[in-house]
Amino acid sequence: MLYFFQQVLNGLHSGALYALLAFGYVLTNGILHRTNLAYGAVFAFCGHTMILTAAFGYQALWLTLYAAVALGVLAAFLYAALLSHVLSRSVFEPLADRSPNAIVVTTLGILLVLSEASRIAADTHDLWLPPMLAVPVIFAEHDGFKATLTLIQLLDCAAVLAAIVLAAWAFARSNFGRRWRAVSDDPRAAAMCGVDVRAVFRHAVLFGGFCAALAGVLAGIYYGNISFGTGLVYGLKVLFVTAVGGYLSPPRAALGAAAFGMAESLWAGYFPLEWRDAWMYLFLVAMLVLIGAGRDQQKIA
């Protein structure tokens, strides 16, 4: 039971990152109703930017480690704002009324561009941050086995929980949340009622980009590295993970993604690790086909 408890603790951290990514992805997808493969690339690009900027600040500007990381975090969010601006105005808006394949192909191209830009910036080398706040916090102990989480894992989970709770509360009570739901249900009817559909969409893309940047920063600080090729893997995972909670409610999508992170951790603890992604993808496809698509279509109808 203590070993099971350790796997549950591990799942809390991975589930938190998936939940944050799913929340941000649905903000855009709930209005666009198109597959956005570039979202995982934004996550990886911002995390990689944080690491590169921190390395530059530490080695070239002679900053302390934590000051260099803070500079990297600032750079990551600035790039997230820039990417969101370009995506919303130059990609999503012109292609919103076109074939769904147009946005899929375009965002796939953006994913490749961002991955290659990260590779060139790092000169095809993986840079690593030193371990930070890696002090283990013991939750339970028996016969020498300790169920622990590190301090950085606890801080990551706390940051994600605070961000999602605050965003969900604002989403439920703010004017933006009401306008977002109106545009998600019927953008033409919302426009006839005086809602600025374009402004709502641009803000949704921006907030989604900030969620991706925060997830990238937290993952980069915890793992110490985010490879330039990570965007494709996370782009596909976010696409399918969101199906567990549905594409039309950011809080529900976050809960479904957290459950997936927990299931992924339990698989890694009890079954062969090399088969984890294959079975997890199979599970997500089944959820999308059997539950997610029918539920979302019923809500739209």
Side-chain angles (χ1 to χ4, degrees):
M1 288 302 296
L2 200 59
Y3 180 77
F4 173 79
F5 182 52
Q6 179 64 68
Q7 302 311 314
V8 171
L9 291 177
N10 293 337
L12 290 177
H13 184 261
S14 58
L17 294 179
Y18 285 138
L20 186 58
L21 287 171
F23 192 99
Y25 182 83
V26 172
L27 285 177
T28 300
N29 186 270
I31 295 179
L32 189 62
H33 300 295
R34 298 288 190 273
T35 298
N36 175 17
L37 293 178
Y39 193 75
V42 175
F43 156 79
F45 186 84
C46 290
H48 200 251
T49 297
M50 184 274 295
I51 294 174
L52 290 178
T53 306
F56 174 79
Y58 187 77
Q59 296 174 357
L61 301 180
W62 296 88
L63 298 175
T64 63
L65 176 60
Y66 289 102
V69 171
L71 179 64
V73 172
L74 177 62
F77 278 96
L78 289 176
Y79 270 103
L82 176 62
L83 290 173
S84 300
H85 177 84
V86 173
L87 285 173
S88 63
R89 288 164 173 76
S90 301
V91 177
F92 295 140
E93 290 179 13
L95 299 178
D97 296 328
R98 305 288 181 87
S99 168
N101 293 333
I103 287 185
V104 173
V105 173
T106 304
T107 54
L108 178 59
I110 293 171
L111 183 152
L112 297 176
V113 168
L114 292 179
S115 299
E116 189 66 10
S118 296
R119 185 192 67 80
I120 294 173
D123 196 20
T124 322
H125 296 298
D126 283 331
L127 299 179
W128 292 82
L129 294 177
M132 292 183 292
L133 303 176
V135 180
V137 178
I138 300 174
F139 287 86
E141 181 178 0
H142 181 70
D143 290 339
F145 185 87
K146 300 176 182 179
T148 66
L149 281 179
T150 61
L151 186 57
I152 187 62
Q153 286 178 306
L154 290 175
L155 291 177
D156 282 357
C157 292
V160 170
L161 180 62
I164 290 180
V165 169
L166 180 61
W169 178 85
F171 188 78
R173 297 177 178 272
S174 66
N175 289 329
F176 169 76
R178 288 190 288 271
R179 292 195 298 267
W180 185 93
R181 290 189 291 272
V183 174
S184 177
D185 288 339
D186 192 332
R188 294 182 180 178
M192 293 177 62
C193 294
V195 176
D196 189 344
V197 175
R198 184 163 297 184
V200 171
F201 181 70
R202 290 177 178 177
H203 283 100
V205 176
L206 178 63
F207 296 151
F210 284 155
C211 288
L214 179 58
V217 165
L218 296 178
I221 293 175
Y222 171 64
Y223 293 110
N225 169 265
I226 293 183
S227 175
F228 38 81
T230 307
L232 178 60
V233 176
Y234 273 87
L236 292 175
K237 276 194 175 183
V238 170
L239 170 64
F240 287 110
V241 163
T242 311
V244 178
Y247 291 102
L248 300 178
S249 172
R252 191 164 53 187
L255 289 176
F260 171 81
M262 186 67 66
E264 194 176 63
S265 176
L266 292 175
W267 176 280
Y270 290 97
F271 300 100
L273 186 61
E274 60 269 18
W275 288 99
R276 183 191 65 182
D277 286 343
W279 282 103
M280 288 295 102
Y281 278 125
L282 181 61
F283 167 75
L284 290 174
V285 170
M287 290 290 294
L288 178 62
V289 172
L290 299 177
I291 300 177
R295 178 181 54 203
D296 291 345
Q297 289 174 2
Q298 182 179 6
K299 184 172 182 179
I300 292 174

